[in-house]
């Protein structure tokens, strides 16, 4: 393989889709208009799409669909303008329904799902709800939003590897609230003090930025204030509500995906979404492929991750 990414391309179709509840999601299509449809599910939740996500796919073979999930990116209204109460219509199942509306709007019968981290969560939720609409999946850094996963990253597990960054993360929280960091951060980020809200969003984003890559300077977006606000507000809204999922639901119901080909690309040293979740999914979903990438963490930019993602999309490009 000459390079891990295909050359840059621009969308040839884009728009805003009214999905109800006063929400309009921003979408785009690039690549071959007659190619195999694939939808990219961005992470976060709340991270939004970016132009690099088009480059995981052969543009001659794929019809590449990107969209910003509710409240994120260029979709409206943006989460920065909403209160916690106004986010009541932003849940995992609203996003699954939005995907169905977008699929129908674009005239797509079945599509491939490509998602990393939270994007993998959403891919599993959609696939288990609409397996007949899925040709195959490519998942990276699998996150199933289980209590054990939230415990690891937000309740002290990962602190054993990043004690300095963890100290910064908890420093903003009063000592008598540190038993519930998710609740404390939710209160601060959605509170009425705009200065504290901005500081809390920045601290939330810096914590993931510190743990996301084996190369600490590799991912700088987490330090951008606008990104931090969207990332923190939507993520906290989802995590304090356990993603509106039953315990272990996405692993428990993996059997609903039987017969759907899938490739998992997982960093061996992924601190944000440790490999145990990918391993549990692999064992619950017969016939799928799991690639553990050594010397890689969570970030797409870590060595080997993007190369294996391109191999996966090339492997599946002729599967319909």
């Amino acid at each position: 393989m000459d390079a891990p990414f295909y050359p840059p391309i621009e969308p040839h179709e884009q728009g805003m889709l009214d999905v109800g509840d006063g929400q309009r999601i921003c979408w785009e299509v690039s690549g071959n208009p007659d190619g195999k449809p694939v939808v990219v599910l961005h992470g976060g939740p709340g991270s939004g799409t970016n132009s690099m996500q088009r480059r995981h796919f052969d543009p001659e073979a794929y019809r590449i669909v990107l969209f910003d999930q509710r409240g994120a990116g260029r979709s409206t209204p943006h989460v920065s303008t909403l209160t916690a109460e106004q986010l009541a219509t932003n849940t995992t199942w609203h996003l699954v329904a939005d995907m169905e509306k977008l699929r129908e709007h674009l005239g797509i019968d079945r599509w491939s799902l490509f998602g990393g981290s939270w994007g993998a969560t959403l891919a599993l939720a959609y696939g288990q709800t609409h397996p007949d609409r899925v040709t195959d999946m490519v998942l990276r850094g699998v996150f199933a939003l289980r209590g054990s996963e939230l415990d690891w990253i937000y309740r002290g597990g990962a602190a054993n590897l990043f004690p300095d960054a963890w100290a910064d993360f908890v420093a903003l929280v009063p000592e008598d609230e540190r038993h519930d960091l998710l609740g404390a951060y939710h209160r601060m980020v959605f509170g009425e003090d705009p200065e504290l809200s901005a500081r809390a969003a920045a601290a939330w984003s810096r914590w993931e930025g510190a743990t996301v890559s084996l190369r600490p300077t590799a991912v700088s977006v987490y330090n951008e204030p606008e990104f931090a606000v969207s990332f923190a507000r939507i993520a906290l809204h989802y995590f304090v509500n356990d993603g509106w999922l039953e315990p272990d639901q996405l692993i428990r119901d993996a059997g609903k995906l039987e017969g759907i080909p899938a490739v998992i690309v997982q960093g061996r040293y992924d601190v944000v979404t440790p490999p145990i979740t990918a391993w549990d999914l692999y064992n619950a979903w017969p016939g799928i492929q799991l690639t553990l990438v050594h010397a890689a963490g969570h970030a797409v930019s870590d060595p080997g991750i993007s190369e294996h993602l391109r191999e996966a999309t090339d492997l599946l490009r002729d599967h319909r």
Side-chain angles (χ1 to χ4, degrees):
M1 182 181 300
D2 295 330
F5 294 102
Y6 281 97
I9 55 173
E10 294 298 320
H12 52 71
E13 190 179 358
Q14 52 195 328
M16 300 288 289
L17 178 64
D18 187 339
V19 291
D21 306 312
Q23 305 280 332
R24 300 174 74 233
I25 60 170
C26 184
W27 59 270
E28 65 166 58
V29 181
S30 57
N32 183 349
D34 298 317
K36 173 182 176 176
V38 60
V39 61
V40 176
L41 307 176
H42 68 68
S47 297
T49 58
N50 63 73
S51 60
M52 287 297 294
Q53 292 166 346
R54 306 172 194 139
R55 299 180 58 190
H56 293 294
F57 311 94
D58 179 351
E60 297 298 318
Y62 280 96
R63 182 185 181 192
I64 307 158
V65 179
L66 273 62
F67 77 99
D68 290 319
Q69 296 159 29
R70 292 188 179 209
R74 294 164 293 172
S75 292
T76 60
H78 192 267
V79 67
S80 61
T81 68
L82 301 175
T83 66
E85 292 73 20
Q86 290 171 322
L87 280 170
T89 56
N90 191 331
T91 72
T92 302
W93 306 113
H94 284 90
L95 300 187
V96 167
D98 291 349
M99 289 175 63
E100 271 297 89
K101 290 173 183 173
L102 180 59
R103 181 189 63 76
E104 293 171 354
H105 177 73
L106 296 176
I108 294 171
D109 181 49
R110 300 170 73 227
W111 52 6
S112 176
L113 309 182
F114 181 99
S117 195
W118 162 256
T121 318
L122 183 55
L124 293 171
Y126 176 89
Q128 291 174 13
T129 307
H130 301 286
D132 56 324
R133 297 301 181 185
V134 180
T135 54
D136 44 61
M137 297 191 202
V138 176
L139 308 177
R140 173 193 60 80
V142 178
F143 179 51
L145 226 170
R146 298 182 290 183
S148 58
E149 295 169 71
L150 294 175
D151 287 348
W152 167 258
I153 189 67
Y154 298 120
R155 298 183 180 116
N160 290 281
L161 297 176
F162 292 88
D164 49 347
W166 181 257
D168 291 339
F169 182 58
V170 301
L172 198 60
V173 180
E175 288 192 19
D176 62 352
E177 295 184 38
R178 291 182 183 176
H179 65 285
D180 180 15
L181 289 172
L182 286 175
Y185 263 93
H186 187 273
R187 175 187 60 78
M188 292 188 293
V189 166
F190 285 99
E192 296 182 359
D193 182 340
E195 181 180 351
L196 178 59
S197 177
R199 288 174 59 203
W204 175 273
S205 188
R206 283 197 306 271
W207 165 242
E208 180 146 342
T211 59
V212 74
S213 175
L214 289 186
R215 299 175 294 169
T217 60
V219 184
S220 60
V221 68
Y222 294 94
N223 294 318
E224 297 175 4
E226 184 176 352
F227 174 87
V229 168
S230 174
F231 181 62
R233 288 170 73 90
I234 297 182
L236 280 161
H237 170 64
Y238 272 71
F239 297 165
V240 298
N241 288 291
D242 297 316
W244 300 270
L245 296 165
E246 297 173 8
D248 206 34
Q249 178 176 339
L250 298 179
I251 304 298
R252 179 199 72 198
D253 291 349
K256 294 179 179 180
L257 303 170
E258 186 175 358
I260 297 175
V263 176
I264 298 174
V265 176
Q266 176 71 46
R268 167 71 75 180
Y269 299 105
D270 186 335
V271 173
V272 177
T273 58
I276 185 61
T277 302
W279 182 253
D280 288 346
L281 181 62
Y282 170 72
N283 282 287
W285 186 356
I288 68 170
Q289 177 181 322
L290 170 62
T291 300
L292 286 168
V293 185
H294 299 283
H298 188 67
V300 174
S301 58
D302 275 6
I305 295 291
S306 55
E307 288 87 348
H308 284 288
L309 288 174
R310 175 168 166 175
E311 288 177 358
T313 62
D314 285 352
L315 175 70
L316 294 170
R317 66 183 155 196
D318 295 324
H319 180 263
R320 298 278 183 154

